[in-house]
Amino acid sequence: MTTRTEFALASGGTLVVESESAGAGVAPAGRGSLERAGATVRDSLHTVVNTASDVIEAFHALPRRPDEIEVKFGVKLDGSVGVILAGGSAGVHFEVTLRWSPEEPARAADTDGE
């Protein structure tokens, strides 16, 4: 059965998220049901922003701080829960890429004692 959940956008308008129910059974004919979410998309994504912030802060605490941090994870919107960090059957999967620029060698003029 298809469920549609409507999320209000802070800038106006709505976002409709469509999902398939896990259970099998009889579904009503037509376009399916439309549920209204209890929060806006912006409010729902607050959890994602906080999660990303925690992950990035953890890597900023490394002794040699990376120049770039890239974090990827799936997000699923749910009308009753808000945001779910989506993953496979075993749990949430984060993909993290850290990049460091090569350290600049000391210039010869600095070591020659000018």
Side-chain angles (χ1 to χ4, degrees), residues 1-53:
M1 178 173 154
T2 300
T3 302
R4 291 182 180 93
T5 305
E6 184 178 63
F7 289 84
L9 299 174
S11 59
T14 59
L15 167 69
V16 177
V17 177
E18 184 176 85
S19 61
E20 296 294 324
S21 297
V26 179
R31 297 180 59 199
S33 63
L34 179 64
E35 300 174 5
R36 300 227 188 267
T40 65
V41 172
R42 181 175 291 175
D43 291 340
S44 297
L45 290 176
H46 188 67
T47 302
V48 176
V49 171
N50 287 341
T51 302
S53 179

